[in-house]
Amino acid sequence: MTLETVLLVAAALFCVGLYGAISQQVVVMVMMGLELMINGVILAAAGFWWFLTPVPDGQVLLLVVITAMTVEMAMGFGVATLLHRSRESDMTDMATDLSR
């Protein structure tokens, strides 16, 4: 596997996530699109890291980033669940007061 292949897969993953985040109205689907976009960025960073300096020290950093992303998505799903329970809707246009 070459760096170009890894970057191509990462770009495809990012593009699918971007399409999913832009085209959806449901909060959970938007969050899934954002998750795919972040995974594409992580894959590109891991590809650059592996092909430039192939030592296993960077794996710890990638695990920390993935752990932080998992915690962030769990909090986002909690907010989406609370929004659905309080309003009986999970559409993004119903969540405009969260920005205050």
Side-chain angles (χ1 to χ4, degrees):
M1 188 172 255
T2 64
L3 179 61
E4 292 82 17
T5 307
V6 172
L7 292 179
L8 185 65
V9 170
L13 196 61
F14 187 85
C15 290
V16 168
L18 182 64
Y19 176 75
I22 289 175
S23 67
Q24 297 296 320
Q25 289 282 327
V26 180
V27 174
V28 175
M29 295 300 286
V30 172
M31 289 174 52
M32 290 171 105
L34 292 174
E35 180 81 19
L36 283 174
M37 290 169 59
I38 293 170
N39 284 333
V41 170
I42 288 173
L43 181 63
F48 275 123
W49 160 75
W50 180 255
F51 284 102
L52 294 178
T53 57
V55 292
D57 296 337
Q59 290 179 357
V60 175
L61 178 63
L62 289 176
L63 287 176
V64 168
V65 168
I66 290 171
T67 304
M69 184 178 63
T70 304
V71 170
E72 176 251 336
M73 286 312 237
M75 294 299 295
F77 283 126
V79 169
T81 303
L82 182 65
L83 182 67
H84 178 68
R85 287 182 182 172
S86 67
R87 299 214 179 96
E88 299 296 323
S89 175
D90 58 353
M91 304 302 269
T92 55
D93 56 349
M94 300 291 181
T96 57
D97 64 335
L98 292 178
S99 63
R100 292 185 215 169

